[in-house]
Structure formats: structure tokens, C-alpha cells
Amino acid sequence: MTDPERPALPTRQAPPPFRTVVVAASERVSARLQRITLDGPDLEGFTVSAPASSVRLLLPSVGRSDLVIPTWHGNEFLLSDGARPAIRTLTPSWSETAAPPLTVDVVLHQSGLLTDWARTVPVGASVAVSGPGRGYHVDPSASAFVVAGDESALPALTQVLRAIPGSIPTQVVVETADPAAIERLPQRAGITIDSHLVAADAPPGAAMSAALADLPIDPDTAVWVAGEAAAVQRVRRRFFVERDIDRSQCTIRGYWKAGRAGTDGT
């Protein structure tokens, strides 16, 4: 029954349908990063055409081993009983010649649905992916870049760095609890990395947003920032309201919300 007091949610365009895949490999890249390789016939034609694109990863629901594909209901995916499925958004592998199989990197936290799955999923297990979502267009006319993110954004941040032409000066701000994450970032002349190693239980995004607050940003500098939702909202307010930086030169995205039940931060 429709509640007349509750406004109807807007109808959104349906995302790409889910493609069923299997876990082809699982590798611990570092103490806090698990790399999962996905493959299967359903990935035929799946193309990631831009850096920092996204995919929805559908996991088996809590307490179930089988995978149930949900249905799009105008603004979200739902299971047949009306429950929300276990879906997480991740950055897939990307390169100029990218083709299946697909890899996703999962930041391992103390607990959480995605973290627990990534730690224990066996090769051959079924999952599903939907996507890809929007990526980032690197403006070749920019005179410089500012690229920033927390641990959840590192796969996408790495792709953005690789897509920036080597001649363009690039300032990188990274917040992470994993020193090895800094070592894995692309290195080239012109890249300056301002890394902030924080405790795993530190307020998410605080170090990153503080480092960006007064960072010099010229009108012809392109900016890409991603991380915890409240932290990037502080960045938006500082840039757009207090410093009057042109929104058109910035791409600022929230990747996760601290405190949301079941969140893994990825």
C-alpha cells in the first residue's frame, strides 16, 4: 500500500544488468589489500573505457551460499522478498587495452561483509558484476593536476595517475594506514606525493581534507578527489564555498560512508 505522506522516490535509469562470473584467483597484495580476479563467459563485451570507472559487485546475502540476482525497482536493486541485496561498488582494472578477466582490489578492514568475503572466498565461487559506471576524463589542456584519496580510492587514484600525461605536474595527497600503498603508486618526474600515514581507527578523511584545505589550486589546475563521504563534503565546502574554486575544474566523489551498517569502507 502506498503511503500518501511519503513522497515517491524518483525513478532512475536502470544500471547495466548483472553478469554472473566466478572468482578465478585471489591474491593478498599487501597486509591490507586483497586482489580478486573475476572471469567467465558473461564478461564477453565488458569494456572499461576510462580510468576510475566503477562496478557493482553482487555478493551472496548474509547466511546464504547461493547467489540470487536482484531486480531493478526504479531507484535500487531489490530481492524478490523486498530485501536489499549485498552490493558493493569497486574500481575494476583498467588500461588502454583492458579486456577480461577483470580484477578488483579490496581494502581489508577489521570486519565487514566485503572484507570477510575477500578474505575467505574460494576460487570458483560465483558472484556477479554490473557496470561499468562513469569514469574520469583526463583533461589534456590542464596545466597541472591535484589528485587525492583515502585507502578506498587508491585503485581509482592509481588509474588516474597513469592516465595523466607525463609532462603535467601532479600533486598527490594520500591518506592510508598501509605504508606499502604509497610504494605502489606510479612514480615519474612531475609527481609529488604528500602521504599521510594514519592509524586504522583514525577519523576517516580528516588528514586528507586538512591537507587539501589550503593547497594552492590555480584556475587551470584539474582536481580529482575521492574518499569517505563526509570528508569529501568538507573538501567541497572548502573549495566551492570558502575558496570559490570553479566547480568545473573539480571531480570530487564520495566512495563510502563511515558508520553505515555493514560498510567496509570500499
Side-chain angles (χ1 to χ4, degrees), residues 188-239:
R188 63 163 171 81
I191 289 181
T192 302
I193 298 176
D194 177 16
S195 60
H196 297 266
L197 294 175
V198 297
D201 58 353
M208 180 189 73
S209 57
L212 290 171
D214 296 308
L215 192 70
I217 297 176
D218 295 329
D220 53 359
T221 295
V223 178
W224 184 93
V225 180
E228 197 277 326
V232 299
Q233 186 59 34
R234 291 195 296 272
V235 174
R236 288 191 185 100
R237 183 170 57 250
R238 178 64 175 161
F239 281 8

Side-chain angles (χ1 to χ4, degrees), residues 35 62 106 151 191 209 242 255 259:
R35 179 161 296 160
V62 176
V106 178
E151 281 185 316
I191 289 181
S209 57
E242 300 173 18
Y255 273 16

